Amino acid sequence: MVSKQSAEKRLSGACGYQYATHAMSTITVDARIARAKGRAKTRAKTRAKSRSDDSAVWWTRHDVKCAICRAWIRKNDFLQRKSNRSFCLACAGLDHLIFLPRGDTALTRRASKHSSRSEIVVRRVRGRLERQGTLVEKGALQRAELECQADAPVRERARAKAAVRRAVLDERYVREFTKRLGALFPGCPPAERETIAKHACEKYSGRIGRSAAAQEFDPEVIRVAVHAHIRHNHTRYEELLASGKTRKRARSAVHDAVKKVAQRWRGKGT
């Protein structure tokens, strides 16, 4: 006859086993779902890349043979890709289009609108696709040029007003960046605070002061900008680069010096 204590122990063991089995099965299911989502995301990216490859005209970087007429498509010419095959513009039915370089937004928008057929021209630069311009019909481009000439004074006045508004906003942004920097690094000289802010927030520079986080005045963004300034202006960093050191080695060599100045500016240390 089984005792009550023994029966309770067996029941407890069975329940524990069932709980562990259920937990393991839940983890397994979750892992499978995560892997499935990952595979679906990868397939979606592949399909999107395939669609982008087939929907654009490429500015060639080397000579390629057309898959149909076998004529050479020379370097810096245009081709269209479909299913990993290259076609010259004549075989792709695009040889009646002319190239409009990027740069004039109004002209490109109007020419594309008036053209019954238009194609974006892209080129791979440092591992990423960059838009180089658009292929449009000649008549559409001529019509767009006439329209742009007609309202050029109006658009010029609008650009001037927009430039003034942007300048005011940029000035306010730099001023606020300088203020936040001073709060974090009270020991930083006022003249250097302004220099750091202007450099970090320089428009079209791609610097950290123009990042999304910088718009919220993230302390980490300000810290990075300050450390970069210290590295270039208060250490031997530039001298080390000029002597042939790599950026990584030069950064490592001046790391302690940068940290020391930053601590002094923060008021932590003498």
Side-chain angles (χ1 to χ4, degrees):
M1 186 173 181
V2 181
S3 67
K4 182 178 179 182
Q5 186 176 6
S6 176
E8 287 178 349
K9 189 179 294 185
R10 287 183 184 178
L11 181 60
S12 173
C15 290
Y17 174 76
Q18 289 176 356
Y19 177 79
T21 304
H22 175 70
M24 288 297 293
S25 64
T26 303
I27 293 171
T28 304
V29 170
D30 289 344
R32 287 175 179 173
I33 292 173
R35 286 197 297 270
K37 286 182 177 179
R39 287 194 295 269
K41 189 179 292 185
T42 301
R43 286 195 296 269
K45 286 182 178 179
T46 303
R47 285 195 298 270
K49 183 179 184 301
S50 177
R51 284 196 298 269
S52 67
D53 287 356
D54 287 352
S55 63
V57 170
W58 291 74
W59 186 322
T60 61
R61 296 167 57 187
H62 48 77
D63 294 351
V64 183
K65 268 191 178 181
C66 175
I68 295 178
C69 67
R70 308 306 295 169
W72 280 102
I73 305 168
R74 298 301 177 185
K75 181 181 178 181
N76 293 326
D77 206 343
F78 303 126
L79 61 82
Q80 189 171 53
R81 287 181 186 163
K82 288 185 179 179
S83 303
N84 294 324
R85 299 172 70 198
S86 300
F87 303 90
C88 66
L89 294 190
C91 293
L94 303 174
D95 55 335
H96 65 292
L97 304 179
I98 59 177
F99 178 60
L100 173 60
R102 66 179 183 179
D104 191 327
T105 306
L107 183 61
T108 300
R109 185 179 65 251
R110 288 171 171 172
S112 299
K113 182 180 71 173
H114 297 319
S115 185
S116 60
R117 179 79 184 271
S118 64
E119 297 289 341
I120 297 171
V121 177
V122 297
R123 190 175 195 177
R124 194 171 296 282
V125 180
R126 291 187 292 275
R128 64 181 182 182
L129 290 184
E130 289 189 2
R131 183 171 179 164
Q132 302 299 312
T134 311
L135 291 179
V136 296
E137 295 171 342
K138 184 177 180 180
L141 178 58
Q142 292 172 341
R143 182 178 174 184
E145 287 173 339
L146 290 174
E147 290 180 356
C148 287
Q149 290 172 7
D151 65 357
V154 176
R155 288 187 295 113
E156 183 58 37
R157 287 195 295 272
R159 276 197 297 268
K161 288 181 180 179
V164 171
R165 286 195 299 270
R166 285 195 300 270
V168 171
L169 291 174
D170 285 346
E171 185 179 346
R172 290 176 183 171
Y173 178 57
V174 171
R175 191 161 57 241
E176 184 63 23
F177 196 97
T178 306
K179 180 181 175 182
R180 301 293 182 97
L181 191 156
L184 289 171
F185 295 89
C188 177
E192 293 202 64
R193 293 180 199 174
E194 188 173 350
T195 299
I196 295 169
K198 285 181 177 179
H199 186 71
C201 303
E202 187 177 344
K203 198 164 187 181
Y204 305 123
S205 65
R207 295 195 177 95
I208 195 164
R210 285 286 167 182
S211 65
Q215 307 304 316
E216 302 296 328
F217 300 104
D218 186 342
E220 178 61 16
V221 169
I222 297 174
R223 185 195 69 79
V224 171
V226 169
H227 280 221
H229 174 81
I230 295 171
R231 187 182 306 115
H232 286 275
N233 296 276
H234 293 271
T235 70
R236 297 174 52 245
Y237 182 70
E238 296 287 352
E239 181 184 336
L240 292 171
L241 289 179
S243 68
K245 294 277 189 183
T246 64
R247 289 183 180 276
K248 185 176 180 180
R249 287 180 177 274
R251 279 173 176 256
S252 178
V254 302
H255 176 268
D256 291 342
V258 171
K259 189 175 179 181
K260 186 176 180 180
V261 176
Q263 285 179 339
R264 187 170 72 246
W265 285 3
R266 275 187 181 274
K268 298 177 181 178
T270 58

